Amino acid sequence: MRAKLDRALKMPGWVSVLYGAMAVGLVPWIGFLAASLPSRHVSHHWDLAWTGMDIGILAAVVATTLLALRRSGWVVISATVVFTLLMTDAWFDVLTARPGQQLADALGAAMIELPLAIVSLWLAQNVAKALLNATRR
């Protein structure tokens, strides 16, 4: 079983080269954005962007629910997606909120989203560890 897992986890050499190149390329890109983007920007379709984000979170949560009910190893992926989307949602909610009540509401939502994100990461890590341990036996 271990050999089967090792074969499944073996990555072609180009994978690390590709992701390494992306990381190197992102450094100057982030510097460019930090230096050139305005600190204020009015955006069209703001409502659609945020509604779409929450629909994505809903889809990932539903997928995680169904996969958990089936006790599927695929829950590792869906729970990781939930973690990522909740962290991203909290980040942008707080950073784009106007001072005052809007910021207070964003911080309140983040106080719910962040613990749920951590639980999702915990779930993904524990299921991944269990799957690895099961294949080692």
Side-chain angles (χ1 to χ4, degrees):
M1 193 62 138
R2 176 70 182 168
K4 184 177 180 182
L5 179 63
D6 287 343
R7 280 193 306 277
L9 294 178
K10 186 159 176 73
M11 304 273 172
W14 62 264
V15 172
S16 58
V17 171
L18 173 66
Y19 282 89
M22 287 184 346
V24 168
L26 276 168
V27 173
W29 175 249
I30 291 167
F32 169 76
L33 290 177
S36 65
L37 286 176
S39 58
R40 183 176 185 283
H41 175 76
V42 177
S43 179
H44 296 286
H45 309 295
W46 186 255
D47 55 343
L48 182 59
W50 285 110
T51 303
M53 178 70 156
D54 286 340
I55 290 170
I57 293 170
L58 172 63
V61 168
V62 168
T64 303
T65 302
L66 296 174
L67 292 166
L69 285 170
R70 295 178 181 162
R71 294 189 176 1
S72 170
W74 290 102
V75 79
V76 172
I77 295 170
S78 65
T80 302
V81 169
V82 171
F83 165 77
T84 304
L85 290 175
L86 287 174
M87 294 295 287
T88 303
D89 191 42
W91 173 266
F92 284 103
D93 276 346
V94 171
L95 291 181
T96 61
R98 283 188 214 112
Q101 188 60 48
Q102 195 178 67
L103 180 58
D105 291 346
L107 289 169
M111 297 305 287
I112 296 168
E113 291 171 327
L114 296 178
L116 293 173
I118 291 167
V119 168
S120 296
L121 182 61
W122 172 86
L123 172 64
Q125 288 178 328
N126 282 316
V127 172
K129 285 178 190 174
L131 289 171
L132 286 172
N133 287 336
T135 58
R136 290 182 180 154
R137 293 178 189 165

